[in-house]
Structures are given as C-alpha cells and as structure tokens.
Amino acid sequence: AAGAGAARPRGPPRQDPMSSTSTTCSSWRDPSGHASKRGIRGFHPIQESGGGLAEAQRERRLGHYDAALELYRSALQREPRHRDALLGYADCQQDLGNIDEALTAMKQLLSVKSDDLEANLRVAELLLEQNKESEVEPYLRYGRLGRRSASAALQQRLLCAEAQLALNKEEYSKALSTASEAVRVDPSTGRALLLLATARHRVADYSAALRAVAAALEPAGDEGISSRRFQAACHALAAQAHERLREYPEAIARAERALQLQPKLLAARLAKALAKQQSGHILEAEEELMSILQSNPQHGQARLQLAYCKMVSSNLPRAAAILEGLLASKAPLPRSQLGCAKAYLALALAQQRRERAVNLAKEAVL
C-alpha cells in the first residue's frame, strides 16, 4: 500500500535572533568589529568567562534550547571560531529543527579546519536529515579516510551515516548490513538500533523491526531516554510496522504516542492515517491526510495515500486526478512510491482509459 518510507519531517526554520542584521555564523565578529584572527587552538576567553559553555551545555540537557542558544551566541561573539561553541550551537539548532542554521555553523568550522572529522561527519548527518544525498559524499569521504584513527563512537556514527545514505537511496540490503555493523560496535546506541529497525522494516521483516525499536527505547540507550524527538521517531516506526502486520489498534496507539512527543511528526501522522484507512475509518484517514496537505501541499506520500483512500471509497475520478497531478508535478518521490503511484493510476484509469492504464502498469513494474 502507500505506507512506504516517508521523508523525515521538519517544521519551518525558526528565525535566529543572534543579531538584528544576520542569522548566519559568518556574521559573527569580535567586539572590535573585525573578524577574529584566533584559530581553534590557543587562548579561548570563553573558557574563562562566567557560565560559558558548561552553562550552555547544562541548559541544553535540561531542554532549555533557546537559553542555551543565547549562551552559545554570546560565546561566539567573543570567539567566532571556537570549536566547541560552534558544535554546541549546531546541536541546539538541530534540536529545534533548524537544519540550515546547524549546517551554517558546521561549515563555519570547516572553513577554519577543512579536515575536521567531527565537522565533516556532522555536515553529512545534517544533509542526510534533509534528504540531500547528492551532497553528502565529499563529507563522508573525510570520515572514511580518518576512520582507522577515530574513536569507536565516531566509527559507529560513520557507519550510521552510511546506513542512512543507503536507506535514502533505497539500497536496503546494504543499509541492513551497515546498520548491523553499527550495532555491533555498540549494541546500546539508540540511533544505530533505530537504523537497524528501519532497514528491517524496509525489507518487510516487521517483527524484527519492532524488536529493534524496543531495544532502542530501553533505558540503556542514552538517546532513547533523553531525546523526545528520538523517542517519537521510534514510536512512529513501530506504528508503521504494526500497520504492516495488520495490528491496527497498536499502530494507532504508537502513532498517538509519537505525536504526544512530537505533535507535528509527519511520519506518525501518515502511519496513523494509513492504519485508520486500513481498519475501515476512511473519512478519519482522509481528514488527517487533508490536514497534512494543508500545511505541506506537495507532500508526495500524503497525496499518494489520499488517492488510495479515494480508490477504496470508489471515487476513481478523484483518485486519478490526485495521481495525475502528483506525477505531473515531478515531485521528488522514492522509486518505490513512484512505482506505486503509477500502479494506482493504472487501476483508477482502467475503466475509462484502458490503453493509458496498460502503459502505466508496465512502467510501474520497471
């Protein structure tokens, strides 16, 4: 059905009030008005100032992201190239869903030290979060070059990035193998377990996916208990797996749990809509999908699922119109969803336009 992997959702970027004239890291200046000439190493006044980075880190751990951002901004105004301040600033922006701002901070760091392994890996991870697979390779290359001398934690993150890239490219066998290797490095790491669960879901091993999700949410995995966003992603994936297993009440319950943690998480909303539709609540499913499309009118999977709902309710002309519009829009769809859209359209047109339907059916299986 239309439950293939959804693009990872993000809210609209929040305006960064670091200054009244610019929101980018490149605008940071020292108090004299000149760009700082101090590099990453050497004297750092941030480390000696009251509060400083330790206070910013504490605020972030408490979930006070705006307060932490202000402290990191203050630090970067004094020392624009401070490595830990740039990393912490990027972390906060990512926590808030401001991926572009986080990328700007990491590229600021790379402008000082282009072979910084951590910064290159962070950029790769952020680009993958935006589904920008074509831009990832140069940054992962640095990670591969430095892998032998890297810590086990960095090696695992590199494997996770490789697994996520394979998932985004729909190379599921490679993703499963790489995610399994990442878990072997440290079986208690939540992100690696979630990637393994995702890969297992994509190869239709839904029960195994649920076991991996359960392991990711165990208290031993730091990410599983400290990050609401991480927990929401786990519950959303569990909802998708339960839906595939036709366990619709469980799917709806896990989707609702994800939405309690992250109310705008599109993956959870889509899973909930699909479970509603599959359990016979077509109107409720359509309402959820229409709500998604009001704020994300070009969302490919939501449009695909809405067309499927229309087909189930025998409104074939409306389903065909939605699918025709989706295919004509050239919206970036995963290969599996593109084939699904063509197959659905072939079914919707079968009664009225037999020749076009046959051609679409042939395209769908290519």
Side-chain angles (χ1 to χ4, degrees), residues 156 182-194 215-225 230:
Q156 186 185 55
V183 170
R184 286 194 292 272
V185 174
D186 183 355
S188 69
T189 303
R191 172 154 176 73
L193 287 162
L194 178 57
L217 286 168
E218 287 178 359
D222 288 343
E223 290 173 295
I225 59 174
F230 176 80

Side-chain angles (χ1 to χ4, degrees), residues 32-361:
S32 68
H34 301 288
S36 172
K37 298 183 182 300
R38 289 170 286 196
I40 293 175
R41 299 181 178 86
F43 173 72
H44 294 303
I46 301 171
Q47 296 170 347
E48 301 188 359
S49 62
L53 297 186
E55 184 179 350
Q57 291 163 0
R58 183 166 56 253
E59 292 287 359
R60 179 174 176 251
R61 283 196 299 270
L62 293 170
H64 304 157
Y65 301 118
D66 290 329
L69 271 178
E70 287 304 318
L71 289 165
Y72 282 123
R73 285 195 193 96
S74 178
L76 288 164
Q77 285 169 357
R78 294 190 297 274
E79 183 62 34
R81 299 179 179 185
H82 193 284
R83 185 176 187 273
D84 289 341
L86 285 166
L87 289 169
Y89 178 86
D91 282 336
C92 283
Q93 293 288 16
Q94 185 177 10
D95 290 335
L96 292 168
N98 302 332
I99 304 304
D100 287 336
E101 286 83 351
L103 276 168
T104 299
M106 287 300 89
K107 290 180 180 180
Q108 177 82 357
L109 181 53
L110 287 175
S111 72
V112 178
K113 192 173 186 296
S114 62
D115 62 348
D116 188 297
L117 177 57
E118 174 67 28
N120 276 287
L121 185 51
R122 290 281 189 99
V123 171
E125 290 168 341
L126 291 164
L127 289 171
L128 286 168
E129 198 160 340
Q130 292 185 317
N131 297 310
K132 294 181 177 179
E133 296 82 16
S134 61
E135 301 178 29
V136 168
E137 185 58 34
Y139 302 100
L140 281 182
R141 189 179 304 124
Y142 275 106
R144 298 186 191 108
L145 291 172
R147 182 178 175 181
R148 288 186 178 180
S149 60
S151 66
L154 276 175
Q155 289 184 38
Q156 186 185 55
R157 284 176 53 205
L158 177 61
L159 287 167
C160 286
E162 298 276 14
Q164 185 65 66
L165 179 60
L167 283 170
N168 289 8
K169 291 182 173 181
E170 297 188 301
E171 297 172 354
Y172 299 139
S173 178
K174 180 180 178 181
L176 184 58
S177 173
T178 309
S180 297
E181 186 179 353
V183 170
R184 286 194 292 272
V185 174
D186 183 355
S188 69
T189 303
R191 172 154 176 73
L193 287 162
L194 178 57
L195 283 165
L196 178 60
T198 304
R200 286 175 170 170
H201 181 272
R202 299 289 176 84
V203 298
D205 193 351
Y206 304 120
S207 296
L210 286 170
R211 290 194 297 271
V213 167
L217 286 168
E218 287 178 359
D222 288 343
E223 290 173 295
I225 59 174
S226 63
S227 169
R228 292 171 65 86
R229 186 173 60 165
F230 176 80
Q231 292 181 59
C234 287
H235 287 294
L237 181 60
Q240 294 169 14
H242 280 299
E243 186 277 326
R244 293 290 81 198
L245 291 168
R246 300 185 180 183
E247 298 168 350
Y248 304 127
E250 293 88 343
I252 293 169
R254 294 301 285 268
E256 289 176 344
R257 175 60 180 144
L259 292 169
Q260 289 172 358
L261 292 161
Q262 193 175 347
K264 295 183 180 180
L265 183 56
L266 287 182
R269 297 177 70 186
L270 288 165
K272 181 179 178 181
L274 188 56
K276 290 278 189 181
Q277 179 263 308
Q278 296 284 37
S279 57
H281 302 285
I282 304 297
L283 291 179
E284 292 180 37
E286 288 188 10
E287 287 175 5
E288 184 68 47
L289 294 168
M290 291 299 296
S291 176
I292 293 171
L293 289 169
Q294 283 179 358
S295 54
N296 301 271
Q298 299 305 314
H299 196 282
Q301 188 180 347
R303 295 166 76 181
L304 188 58
Q305 284 187 208
L306 181 61
Y308 187 74
C309 284
K310 297 298 184 184
M311 291 176 66
V312 170
S313 57
S314 299
N315 191 346
L316 297 181
R318 179 57 182 150
I322 294 169
L323 293 164
E324 292 272 21
L326 176 60
L327 294 172
S329 70
K330 306 295 183 182
L333 284 174
R335 187 171 59 243
S336 57
Q337 289 186 22
L338 181 61
C340 195
K342 290 179 178 178
Y344 286 172
L345 183 57
L347 290 171
L349 294 175
Q351 298 295 325
Q352 300 171 334
R353 298 163 63 183
R354 182 176 177 79
E355 184 177 349
R356 175 104 196 282
V358 170
N359 290 336
L360 281 165

